[in-house]
Amino acid sequence: MKTIAFLLTILLSIGSVTYAQKVEIYQNKDKFGIKQGDKTLVKAQYEALESVEEGFFAFRKKGKCGVITKSGTTIIPEAYDDIKSFGNGLFLVKDGKTWGLVDRTNKLVLPIAYTSFKFVNDHLCEVKSQGKFGLINKYGDVVIPAQYEGVAPFNDSFFLIEKGGKSGLIDDAGKIVVEALYDGFDKVVNKDLYNVRLGSKIGLMTPEGQVVLAPVYDAIEDDSCIGMKLTENGKIGFYTKTRHLIAPTYSKVLFYQPELGLAVVEEGGKYGIVTDRGTVTPSAYENISRFSPRGIAFVEKSGKLMAINVEGREMVLQEIMGAGNQPPQ
């Protein structure tokens, strides 16, 4: 008996679902109403009718628009030139050439002062007012006032803003992260850094929006050995992997030794050493060999032969041999 009762319950449930009729818009002559199956819920009295959310319909009557429920209850009177759904229980309403937001009680959430709305992600919407752009959230709250010439997603944390022909960054709470002082930002390939452009010069910025190198350089190139190679007025410098700045004072790189994280550089006809750790050995040597696996190189200084290690400490031959190091080949 219990089994039969259970099966009957399921069959009745299926029958109820099958019997449920879809609520739909119908037309009678040049007017529109709402019906459910053969039952009329709202008589045909509107010039236009459109479903804007489940259970809610935008209507046009005497040239003006409002919103009714499926049962015909007016929640937003016919006071607007157009109405669209914004989501989250809000409606876009148009008066003349501008739009705003109202809730289901016709309470104004956002002033009717905007000419465009465009969602940039699931939570934020770009708005335009008097030719300027800003952001609101999905609840209609102003996040970034409409005061910029452009607003666009930059990364997962920030938005690019344009003001006075310059670019900056702002977070999704409306806080300025980077002032609009620059001509643009470009992601550095395979690096957790961005180039910052100002005129023909470039600098570097972290993903957190910290400008670590002002845009004063002619070129910034990926240097897999040291970090980033900087060029300024024909001179070479480095921004190391450990985020140390080695100012551009060198005329060229003589050679790299990636296995030791160093480069031998030339300045004023003499050679020095820079490392990916940010250490600098002054350019004081007329000649220098490559470093041995133990980090020792022969150098010539003021006509004398000696040795140095990768940190630039000068060593005599007895010290090298006593330490069990083999001279460089």
Side-chain angles (χ1 to χ4, degrees):
M1 289 296 292
K2 290 183 178 179
T3 302
I4 293 173
F6 177 71
L7 290 172
L8 284 171
T9 301
I10 292 177
L11 288 170
L12 287 170
S13 299
I14 294 172
S16 297
V17 172
T18 304
Y19 182 77
Q21 298 292 315
K22 182 181 178 182
V23 175
E24 56 187 359
I25 298 169
Y26 76 96
Q27 184 176 0
N28 184 5
K29 297 182 180 180
D30 60 345
K31 301 295 183 182
F32 297 86
I34 302 171
K35 67 179 182 177
Q36 188 172 29
D38 295 330
K39 181 180 180 181
T40 298
L41 301 179
V42 179
K43 69 177 183 179
Q45 58 183 294
Y46 300 107
E47 298 155 15
L49 203 58
E50 179 185 4
S51 176
V52 286
E53 286 185 11
E54 187 173 355
F56 295 92
F57 296 81
F59 68 84
R60 182 179 296 276
K61 192 172 186 180
K62 296 180 180 179
K64 291 293 184 179
C65 298
V67 175
I68 58 172
T69 66
K70 66 180 183 180
S71 61
T73 301
T74 299
I75 61 169
I76 299 176
E78 57 270 31
Y80 304 102
D81 294 322
D82 200 356
I83 292 183
K84 299 180 183 295
S85 174
F86 183 75
N88 293 291
L90 300 178
F91 296 94
L92 285 162
V93 293
K94 185 181 183 183
D95 186 7
K97 295 183 179 180
T98 55
W99 296 78
L101 288 175
V102 298
D103 64 16
R104 289 176 181 173
T105 67
N106 199 33
K107 179 183 177 181
L108 192 64
V109 175
L110 189 72
I112 303 175
Y114 298 87
T115 53
S116 71
F117 292 76
K118 182 176 72 175
F119 272 94
V120 295
N121 57 35
D122 292 339
H123 306 286
L124 294 170
C125 178
E126 177 194 271
V127 293
K128 184 179 181 181
S129 178
Q130 297 182 344
K132 302 292 185 181
F133 294 90
L135 289 176
I136 62 172
N137 63 23
K138 62 182 180 180
Y139 304 109
D141 302 315
V142 174
V143 176
I144 301 173
Q147 60 185 13
Y148 299 103
E149 288 137 32
V151 176
F154 179 72
N155 58 23
D156 292 339
S157 302
F158 305 133
F159 288 84
L160 182 72
I161 54 173
E162 294 181 17
K163 190 174 185 178
K166 297 294 183 181
S167 299
L169 298 177
I170 197 167
D171 66 18
D172 58 9
K175 179 183 177 182
I176 297 290
V177 178
V178 178
E179 293 287 348
L181 302 172
Y182 305 100
D183 291 326
F185 307 91
D186 304 299
K187 183 73 172 65
V188 178
V189 178
N190 298 325
K191 294 286 183 180
D192 203 19
L193 291 167
Y194 292 87
N195 282 329
V196 181
R197 291 183 281 106
L198 183 60
S200 63
K201 303 292 185 178
I202 57 174
L204 283 179
M205 181 185 73
T206 67
E208 296 75 32
Q210 180 185 5
V211 178
V212 292
L213 294 181
V216 297
Y217 302 97
D218 301 312
I220 298 180
E221 305 169 72
D222 184 9
D223 186 314
S224 58
C225 181
I226 304 298
M228 305 294 290
K229 185 168 75 173
L230 317 174
T231 303
E232 183 181 9
N233 299 324
K235 297 293 184 179
I236 296 170
F238 300 92
Y239 184 66
T240 72
K241 294 177 180 179
T242 53
R243 297 193 173 182
H244 289 87
L245 173 62
I246 299 174
T249 59
Y250 306 103
S251 56
K252 70 176 184 179
V253 176
L254 184 63
F255 61 81
Y256 290 102
Q257 286 199 239
E259 72 278 12
L260 296 174
L262 64 81
V264 171
V265 290
E266 182 179 342
E267 180 183 7
K270 296 188 176 182
Y271 301 105
I273 307 161
V274 297
T275 72
D276 58 5
R277 301 172 297 285
T279 59
V280 176
T281 300
S283 301
Y285 305 101
E286 292 93 31
N287 286 293
I288 185 170
S289 72
R290 295 185 68 84
F291 284 82
S292 71
R294 292 179 177 270
I296 304 296
F298 281 135
V299 295
E300 181 185 352
K301 183 179 181 181
S302 301
K304 294 181 179 180
L305 185 65
M306 61 180 68
I308 58 171
N309 65 12
V310 293
E311 302 300 329
R313 188 170 72 86
E314 295 179 350
M315 308 167 71
V316 297
L317 185 60
Q318 290 88 341
E319 186 178 2
I320 299 171
M321 300 308 294
N325 293 313
Q326 295 297 316
Q329 301 299 315

